[in-house]
Amino acid sequence: MALSQNQEKVNQKATEILVKVEQLKIHFPIFQGFIIQKQIAAIKAVDNVSFNIHKGETLGLVGESGCGKSTTGRAILQLQEITGGKVYFQDQDLTQLSPAEMRDRRLQMQMIFQDPYTSLNPRLTVGQIISEPLKVHNLTSQHNPTERVSELLELVGLNPQFAQRYPHEFSGGQRQRIAIARALVVNPDFIVCDEPIAALDVSIQAQIVNLLQDLQQELNLTYLFIAHDLSVVRHISDRIAVMYLGKIVEMSDRNALYKNPLHPYTQALLSAIPLPDPDREKSRSRLILQGDVPSPLNPPSGCNFQTRCPYAFEACQIEPELRQVSENHFVACHLIDRESSDSP
Ligand code: SF4
């Protein structure tokens, strides 16, 4: 019985779509002129990005700084104006909601920010910070703020008596626990974790990742976990999407991505992770990228990775589509066609 219930849960996790992003575009216009302003260009921060997030899973979104991953996370919560595309939450198109309707919807969708030093108001006590969303959403009659704050502090591994203290009295890891408690106070279903461990000491990072995993199990949460490093998302993600210059270049189940990365950019990110075994570390071949990430104001035509790709060839003048290469594995690279045509 327990086994079949577990199986049911796994199947549900694999099939029920909670968040659906369709051809999301976020372009920032560049204007010229003082009195009469004219748009002369646009920075394509996010360009035609599509993915689903299933209920109860963690989708890792990875890429270098400026690739558009945080902008994508903010756009899902409608905290960022979008240029085109759709965002669905439980089959409802969020882009069509009024600000008041979106405010109600946001009860189910929360965000944890990168820097716990700036995301907590230094003038408020921890109790006021955590209970603030209850006041904003008029939920104080449904939840006693004092009791809810104590319950959440305990849930994130902090002493409930800390409610009277101020953020400056805590370490970075404790502050991030407070930020997590604040995100949980309205009982959300979905949380965008925007590089939640990037500003923390390495020794604390694993604790916060473990806490997020435990909370996910206990509260049946769904995460979009944003990071700039593939080693960080490995332990928490079920699936991983890799972004480069505003586009998803590879998306796959975690194991398939680490065992068989197909896009040269994913291969380069993986080869930048040091191995714990010094012998293997010394003997392995590395793919080291040359040059900087091009400006999103003037990205290369065709494949936007071609200025740094060691395998670029003629076909790369045409933009590759994100195509399915096996179950749950998608990649945008012309090498896939070349390799399949070369094979006997
Ligand atoms: Fe490299 Fe071409 Fe593949 Fe782009 S399409 S990643 S340039 S091989």
Side-chain angles (χ1 to χ4, degrees):
M1 181 66 182
L3 192 66
S4 67
Q5 275 176 351
N6 277 346
Q7 191 56 48
E8 214 170 272
K9 255 188 178 176
V10 170
N11 290 342
Q12 203 182 17
K13 189 170 169 170
T15 54
E16 193 181 330
I17 293 172
L18 187 72
V19 177
K20 188 174 181 179
V21 175
E22 266 183 14
Q23 298 188 321
L24 182 69
K25 283 185 191 172
I26 301 164
H27 297 175
F28 297 107
I30 306 285
F31 293 100
Q32 195 179 47
F34 188 62
I35 297 171
I36 300 172
Q37 290 210 320
K38 190 175 154 204
Q39 185 182 337
I40 52 161
I43 295 176
K44 294 181 177 176
V46 178
D47 202 23
N48 263 332
V49 162
S50 301
F51 57 84
N52 297 331
I53 308 177
H54 300 101
K55 191 167 171 53
E57 82 164 344
T58 299
L59 177 70
L61 190 58
V62 180
E64 287 165 288
S65 296
C67 72
K69 55 195 189 303
S70 293
T71 312
T72 302
R74 290 174 59 80
I76 292 175
L77 302 192
Q78 302 295 296
L79 297 171
Q80 169 68 57
E81 201 177 319
I82 69 171
T83 312
K86 300 278 183 198
V87 178
Y88 296 92
F89 182 79
Q90 291 174 329
D91 291 331
Q92 184 175 38
D93 182 0
L94 300 183
T95 60
Q96 299 301 315
L97 297 186
S98 68
E101 287 170 328
M102 190 57 220
R103 218 175 67 141
D104 289 345
R105 254 310 189 192
R106 217 171 267 129
L107 279 173
Q108 292 170 271
M109 313 167 76
Q110 292 291 305
M111 190 156 185
I112 299 168
F113 297 93
Q114 176 178 349
D115 188 354
Y117 289 89
T118 53
S119 67
L120 305 179
N121 187 337
R123 293 192 186 84
L124 301 182
T125 64
V126 166
Q128 288 169 327
I129 289 169
I130 295 174
S131 61
E132 200 179 21
L134 293 178
K135 289 180 191 143
V136 171
H137 291 283
N138 294 324
L139 295 173
T140 45
S141 55
Q142 290 170 40
H143 300 280
N144 178 316
T146 313
E147 282 173 17
R148 186 82 178 123
V149 167
S150 298
E151 186 190 330
L152 284 165
L153 282 174
E154 220 162 328
L155 192 65
V156 299
L158 294 174
N159 187 333
Q161 291 179 354
F162 288 172
Q164 302 309 319
R165 298 197 188 171
Y166 287 86
H168 72 267
E169 298 177 61
F170 296 93
S171 67
Q174 288 173 318
R175 284 175 189 231
Q176 201 54 299
R177 286 173 191 266
I178 295 166
I180 293 169
R182 178 181 56 185
L184 295 176
V185 73
V186 290
N187 274 328
D189 295 303
F190 172 63
I191 300 182
V192 174
C193 306
D194 187 8
E195 305 219 36
I197 58 172
L200 304 178
D201 287 350
V202 176
S203 57
I204 307 297
Q205 291 183 352
Q207 291 177 18
I208 297 297
V209 168
N210 289 341
L211 172 66
L212 287 168
Q213 281 182 312
D214 292 346
L215 292 169
Q216 183 172 40
Q217 293 276 323
E218 200 169 328
L219 306 173
N220 194 23
L221 294 167
T222 303
Y223 294 142
L224 175 67
F225 193 98
I226 297 169
H228 58 262
D229 179 343
L230 268 171
S231 65
V232 167
V233 293
R234 181 171 198 158
H235 299 288
I236 196 167
S237 306
D238 297 292
R239 288 184 304 129
I240 295 170
V242 179
M243 276 187 88
Y244 184 79
L245 263 188
K247 292 177 189 289
I248 290 182
V249 295
E250 186 161 7
M251 183 159 55
S252 166
D253 283 345
R254 171 183 57 181
N255 291 338
L257 191 95
Y258 285 90
K259 271 194 204 139
N260 184 27
L262 296 174
H263 196 282
Y265 180 58
T266 314
Q267 292 165 1
L269 288 182
L270 280 172
S271 76
I273 302 172
L275 297 176
D277 177 348
D279 292 336
R280 277 182 62 211
E281 172 69 25
K282 232 189 257 171
S283 60
R284 75 165 166 169
S285 60
R286 281 208 144 136
L287 179 57
I288 297 171
L289 296 180
Q290 306 296 326
D292 295 325
V293 182
S295 163
L297 185 58
N298 189 20
S301 59
C303 173
N304 63 10
F305 188 57
Q306 63 175 297
T307 52
R308 301 172 82 196
C309 180
Y311 309 118
F313 61 112
E314 278 165 33
C316 308
Q317 298 302 320
I318 297 166
E319 186 181 339
E321 279 176 25
L322 189 68
R323 285 172 36 202
Q324 186 165 15
V325 286
S326 61
E327 197 191 358
N328 289 328
H329 199 157
F330 298 79
V331 67
C333 176
H334 292 304
L335 280 177
I336 303 303
D337 295 323
R338 189 157 83 164
E339 277 161 18
S340 52
S341 66
D342 285 353
S343 59

